[in-house]
């Protein structure tokens, strides 16, 4: 039997919006998801703030996962690159609501990394991930 087990040890800080570890058991396939920004189908960045761009970038990440046969519950790892980590933190509750609406309450391992800029100068955020097909 295969599955994804989300592990959050009680002696670590509470995992809010992420899992401390994810164990994948049994046969499966890894799907590596390229970094997605808030590009629309025409290749233009949409949204002028972090919440709008996060929603588009997450939708793009989920669309890439779906095209490879994976759903939101199959996400095992997600890395967020933000040009302004303080802005990300300030909007964490809004970003969490977007996550729950698009993904649900299954959280992968996550990291937020501050970067100087992204490929597209207008991009405020980029998400990449790993999904596991069971």
């Amino acid at each position: 039997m295969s599955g994804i087990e989300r592990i959050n040890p009680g002696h670590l800080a509470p995992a809010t919006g992420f899992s401390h570890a994810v164990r994948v058991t049994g046969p499966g396939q890894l799907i590596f998801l390229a970094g997605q920004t808030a590009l629309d189908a025409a290749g233009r960045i949409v949204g002028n703030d972090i919440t709008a761009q996060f929603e588009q970038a997450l939708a793009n990440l989920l669309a890439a996962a779906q095209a490879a046969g994976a759903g939101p519950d199959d996400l095992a790892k997600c890395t967020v690159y933000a040009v302004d980590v303080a802005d990300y933190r300030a909007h964490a509750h809004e970003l969490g609501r977007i996550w729950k609406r698009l993904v649900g309450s299954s959280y992968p391992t996550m990291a937020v990394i501050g970067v100087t800029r992204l490929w597209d100068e207008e991009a405020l955020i980029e998400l990449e991930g790993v999904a596991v097909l069971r």
Side-chain angles (χ1 to χ4, degrees):
M1 179 130 172
S2 64
I4 293 178
E5 178 185 3
R6 298 167 202 292
I7 302 165
N8 294 297
H11 63 282
L12 294 178
T16 304
F18 70 97
S19 292
H20 282 290
V22 172
R23 179 180 13 228
V24 179
T25 57
Q29 296 176 349
L30 291 178
I31 300 169
F32 296 91
L33 302 165
Q36 299 292 325
T37 60
L39 289 174
D40 65 10
R44 294 181 304 256
I45 295 289
V46 296
N48 295 324
D49 61 29
I50 197 160
T51 56
Q53 287 198 17
F54 179 85
E55 184 164 358
Q56 182 66 48
L58 181 56
N60 291 347
L61 187 77
L62 294 172
Q66 182 179 26
D73 282 345
D74 298 319
L75 284 175
K77 181 178 185 337
C78 183
T79 304
V80 178
Y81 301 95
V83 297
D84 187 343
V85 175
D87 190 32
Y88 184 93
R89 286 182 61 104
H91 292 91
H93 290 298
E94 296 167 68
L95 301 178
R97 284 194 294 275
I98 293 167
W99 182 275
K100 284 190 175 187
R101 183 167 40 82
L102 297 180
V103 178
S105 58
S106 294
Y107 296 105
T109 61
M110 295 189 74
V112 177
I113 299 170
V115 296
T116 306
R117 65 160 284 195
L118 296 164
W119 183 261
D120 293 299
E121 288 188 44
E122 305 85 13
L124 302 174
I125 198 159
E126 184 169 335
L127 283 77
E128 73 172 2
V130 177
V132 178
L133 277 182
R134 297 160 280 173

